[in-house]
Every structure is written in C-alpha cells, then in structure tokens.
Amino acid sequence: MTEIKNIGSISVPNSLQGKTVQPEKGENFEALLKDAVNKVNTIQNEAEKAIQELSSGGDISSAVIAMEKADLSFQVMLEVRNKLLSAYEEIMRLQI
Amino acid sequence: MDNFAIFKVSASALDAQRSRMNTIASNMANIHSTQTESGGPYKRKEVVFTTLPIGSENPSALEGVKMAQIVDSQEPFKKIHEPGHPDADKDGFVSMPNINIMEEMVNMMMALRAYDANVTTFNMSKTMFLKALEIGR
C-alpha cells in the first residue's frame, strides 16, 4: 500500500503547475469569423441588389461583376470552413 | 476586401468602353441628321477618357478609367448637292454630319476589342484569385 501512496507524491513538473490557457487579448477567433461571414453576406446582398437593378434598367457588367465578387468571397469562406473542419477532425482523431 | 479592387479597375474599363460604344451608336444613328436642337447638322461625338485612381495606396498601382467628357468633333461638315432638301442653302448644298462610316466601324471594332481585353483581364484575375485558394492543397 505504501508504494501506491507514494505514487501520489510524485511531483508534477513545475512548468505544468497552475497553468491555464489565457484567452488572447484583442480580437478572438470567433469574432473574426463572425466578421468575415458578415462581410460575405454583405457582398451577397450587393449582388442581389445589382440583379434587381438589372431588371429595372441597370448596367449588365456591374451586375455580373457583383455576382462574381459574391461567388469569390463565398468560395473563400467555404475554404476557411473546410480548413476549420479538417483541423477539428484532426483533433478528434488524437489518441489520448 | 481589398482583393476586389482589381475588379473595380476592370469594371470601370467596361463602363468606359460601353459609353464609347454609346457615342458610336448615336454617331451611326445620326449619320444623316441635318437638324439638331442646337441648330445645324449633327456633330460627331467623341469620348475623352481620364484615369480614375482606385485603392488607398499612394502611389496607387490600380488606376481605373472613366469618361472625362464627350466632345463634338470640329471637323468640317460634308457638303452634298441636293437642291430639293429643306435644309439646302441658296446654292443647293446641304451640310451633312461630319461622320465617316468607315471611321465609325473601326472605332466600334476598337471599342469591342478593348471590352474583350478587359473581360479577359477580369477573368485572368479571377483565375489568379481562385488559384490562391489552392495553395497548400
């Protein structure tokens, strides 16, 4: 029994004691992501507006360009999301 | 997103070429107009382009284009002998607009080619943008 008790007295390395991960000051990732998604949404709305203007005599090239912008920003967002998901899956696969 | 500034340059060029096409269309339509609201025959219209700085950097590498003004051509009118025409002068000559149809055709082709080139620029920058998403894949 004494041996078993002794295990408890094995000291934890000093460097690991009392350390908690402090959230970084300033912008956190959540806010950053939210901001980016909002931006993409704004661009999507602009494209929709351009298409509506097209039906009421707007310029075709500006509508097409607004659509392209929406497409590209959406793809960037999709890429970030894919990266995020693969990082999450990588962590879930970790053996403890 | 400042990545899209390059698209603004292409968009401004497309706009500019469209306005050039508009003036060519009105030149073509009025090739025989001997009367205008301001009096006299129709004068050939030409567009003048100027740069349009885009983006906040100084000096900016991104410069779009915009229409500065539309000017009336100062070339002399063509005189055609047509005594029965209501706008004929006392010698029977009518002043016709100073439009050369060949010149307008060439201008139209140039506007079209310039539009084409700017669409290609747009597509290429889009391809570049999409390629950037493939980095590290």
Side-chain angles (χ1 to χ4, degrees), chain B residues 35-130:
Chain B
Q35 299 169 0
T36 52
E37 276 178 30
S38 53
Y42 177 86
K43 290 191 179 108
R44 190 166 78 91
K45 289 191 194 325
E46 284 175 84
V47 277
V48 180
F49 296 125
T50 182
T51 55
L52 171 73
I54 285 171
S56 47
E57 310 148 51
N58 198 20
S60 174
L62 288 166
E63 290 224 67
V65 60
K66 69 171 185 216
M67 191 175 67
Q69 54 181 331
I70 296 177
V71 291
D72 288 340
S73 167
Q74 296 304 314
E75 288 165 52
F77 294 121
K78 282 188 270 186
K79 298 275 186 193
I80 287 174
H81 188 67
E82 203 178 326
H85 198 284
D87 292 319
D89 61 10
K90 59 182 187 314
D91 300 321
F93 282 98
V94 185
S95 289
M96 282 293 181
N98 46 3
I99 298 167
N100 180 347
I101 197 161
M102 300 302 164
E103 212 175 299
E104 294 308 312
M105 284 302 288
V106 171
N107 281 339
M108 200 152 64
M109 282 157 86
M110 273 162 66
L112 179 63
R113 295 287 175 247
Y115 198 92
D116 254 9
N118 282 295
V119 170
T120 307
T121 312
F122 180 90
N123 286 342
M124 287 293 173
S125 39
K126 186 191 162 189
T127 310
M128 229 164 147
F129 191 96
L130 288 175

Side-chain angles (χ1 to χ4, degrees), chain A residues 36 39-40 43 59-61 64-65 68-69 71-73 75-76 79 83, chain B residues 1 4 7-8 10-11 14-15 18 115 122 126 129-130 133 135-137:
Chain A
K39 254 184 206 165
V40 171
I43 296 171
D59 191 17
I60 188 159
S61 62
V64 174
I65 284 170
E68 286 295 335
K69 272 187 190 176
D71 178 35
L72 288 176
S73 58
Q75 288 201 38
V76 173
E79 208 62 33
K83 232 13 178 193
Chain B
M1 281 190 210
F4 291 147
F7 294 154
K8 281 186 195 157
S10 295
L14 295 183
D15 265 357
R18 265 197 63 78
Y115 198 92
F122 180 90
K126 186 191 162 189
F129 191 96
L130 288 175
L133 292 181
I135 296 173
R137 230 184 239 175

